[in-house]
Amino acid sequence: MNNIENLTSMVVFARVVETLSFTEAAKSLRLSKSSVSREIAQLEVRLGTQLLNRTTRKIQVTEVGMSYYQYCHRILTEAQHAEHFIRHFHEAPMGSLRLIAPVSFGSQCIVPALNSFIAGNIHISVDLELTDRTLNMEEDQCDIAIIIGRETPQYPLVMPLIDITWGLYATPDYISQFAPIEKPEDLPRYDYLLFRGPAHTISLPFRKERNKLDIEVRSRFRINNSVALMSSALAGAGIAYLPDYVTHEAVAEGKLVRLLPEWSMDLYQAWILFKSESTLSSRVQQFASSLQRKLRQNLESGKEA
């Protein structure tokens, strides 16, 4: 008796017993009815015993057939488990993930999300490049790029992450030295910490309901990194214009206060750019969804704080 030859017949027999129908068993196995009947007949010949009693109306399983079915059922179940394992193996995120993100946003927001993602996906390795240079998705070696801007990127494979709001922040000690700031028009007399640019003055936008104002302020200290700007603000060097995500912890701890919080200021968006459709593997898609969910949770918790 060829045990390997019996395996297919045993699976067919198990389905016949479970359906009590050659026709239904054939459909579930995607075989012809004649193929199923032939497999059962050949199996009975090889075993030297009758497993089924067949009439024109019904199928009855013999006593030895029912005992034999228990073994066949276990084989069928194990085969299904093996198939499930292979399917899960291919679907589970694994391999390397290459990302590019802006320096400050990457440090403050992407890295914490990556820490959680890596902890939950042990088969993934991550290569993160933090840079503020202009990206070229065709040439850059990455699966995902994170960018920040006011408008939707002109790129075919884009996914929104979060809105990034901005505000004015200073230490309580710095603010206490001066008259209270009650409206945007009170701002020009203070020292400001701003992003580095060619001009020493900048026009700050304010919006509240139907009111829109642009207030020009002067900066004696300009830096091209928001974390460094916050560090200067914490040192009492002036009022810093910062993205809110940078300041959540300092505000929660009482080290910084938001000025004129009832007024909205600049609004940017963070976006994910995907390299190409051919690189949208399960690890890339799962990370993108995980990142979006994590950032939005953190944004809400930051607002509550």
Side-chain angles (χ1 to χ4, degrees):
M1 184 187 300
N2 189 331
N3 293 330
I4 299 300
E5 188 179 28
N6 274 355
L7 287 176
T8 300
S9 298
M10 292 172 77
V11 171
V12 172
F13 173 68
R15 294 303 295 144
V16 171
V17 172
E18 290 165 357
T19 61
L20 291 178
S21 167
F22 283 100
T23 301
E24 293 303 318
K27 287 181 180 178
S28 68
L29 295 171
R30 298 182 181 179
L31 297 172
S32 67
K33 182 180 178 181
S34 60
S35 296
V36 170
S37 180
R38 184 168 56 251
E39 287 288 349
I40 297 300
Q42 292 175 349
L43 178 63
E44 289 179 324
V45 170
R46 289 195 295 271
L47 295 176
T49 189
Q50 187 172 358
L51 302 173
L52 301 172
N53 288 322
R54 300 179 277 283
T55 67
T56 55
R57 290 189 173 186
K58 62 180 180 179
I59 295 174
Q60 289 184 326
V61 186
T62 66
E63 184 177 349
V64 68
M66 185 55 70
S67 297
Y68 186 65
Y69 163 73
Q70 304 303 321
Y71 297 98
C72 298
H73 175 70
R74 286 201 293 269
I75 290 175
L76 178 59
T77 300
E78 288 299 318
Q80 291 170 340
H81 288 169
E83 183 177 347
H84 176 76
F85 165 76
I86 293 298
R87 188 181 301 116
H88 178 74
F89 178 82
H90 287 297
E91 292 176 354
M94 60 191 314
S96 61
L97 185 64
R98 300 168 300 175
L99 290 85
I100 298 178
V103 175
S104 294
F105 186 71
S107 300
Q108 297 290 307
C109 299
I110 304 300
V111 170
L114 270 174
N115 290 337
S116 298
F117 183 74
I118 292 172
N121 295 273
I122 61 174
H123 299 297
I124 290 183
S125 61
V126 175
D127 186 344
L128 172 64
E129 177 185 352
L130 297 178
T131 179
D132 291 324
R133 64 176 172 81
T134 301
L135 303 184
N136 185 326
M137 289 300 288
E138 293 184 1
E139 296 181 2
D140 286 327
Q141 298 298 309
C142 68
D143 301 304
I144 288 177
I146 312 296
I147 66 169
I148 296 173
R150 295 179 185 270
E151 306 294 335
T152 304
Q154 298 300 307
Y155 190 77
L157 299 173
V158 176
M159 176 179 170
L161 278 177
I162 57 169
D163 290 339
I164 298 176
T165 53
W166 286 61
L168 292 170
Y169 293 88
T171 62
D173 287 343
Y174 179 84
I175 296 301
S176 67
Q177 301 175 53
F178 308 98
I181 298 175
E182 299 177 344
K183 56 186 183 299
E185 291 86 351
D186 294 335
L187 293 169
R189 60 177 177 265
Y190 297 93
D191 290 326
Y192 288 87
L193 311 171
L194 303 174
F195 265 84
R196 190 179 66 189
H200 288 253
T201 60
I202 186 173
S203 184
L204 296 178
F206 291 87
R207 302 182 309 280
K208 184 171 69 171
E209 299 174 351
R210 295 184 178 180
N211 297 320
K212 292 184 179 181
L213 297 173
D214 290 297
I215 303 297
E216 190 171 277
V217 299
R218 181 176 179 83
S219 171
R220 294 191 302 114
F221 194 2
R222 297 171 302 283
I223 311 175
N224 69 340
N225 181 276
S226 58
V227 175
L229 279 173
M230 184 177 69
S231 177
S232 293
L234 288 169
I239 299 173
Y241 188 43
L242 294 166
D244 292 336
Y245 69 80
V246 175
T247 65
H248 286 161
E249 184 175 342
V251 170
E253 295 175 354
K255 296 177 180 179
L256 290 177
V257 294
R258 169 83 184 263
L259 307 181
L260 304 175
E262 69 276 12
W263 289 83
S264 299
M265 301 189 72
D266 273 317
L267 176 65
Y268 288 77
Q269 286 83 34
W271 304 86
I272 290 182
L273 306 186
F274 300 98
K275 184 79 168 182
S276 66
E277 290 187 2
S278 62
T279 61
L280 282 176
S281 62
S282 61
R283 66 180 180 276
V284 171
Q285 296 180 55
Q286 183 167 332
F287 171 72
S289 298
S290 172
L291 177 62
Q292 184 187 63
R293 183 171 59 255
K294 185 74 172 177
L295 290 182
R296 292 181 179 181
Q297 288 174 350
N298 291 347
L299 180 64
E300 289 303 315
S301 63
K303 288 180 179 179
E304 293 173 2

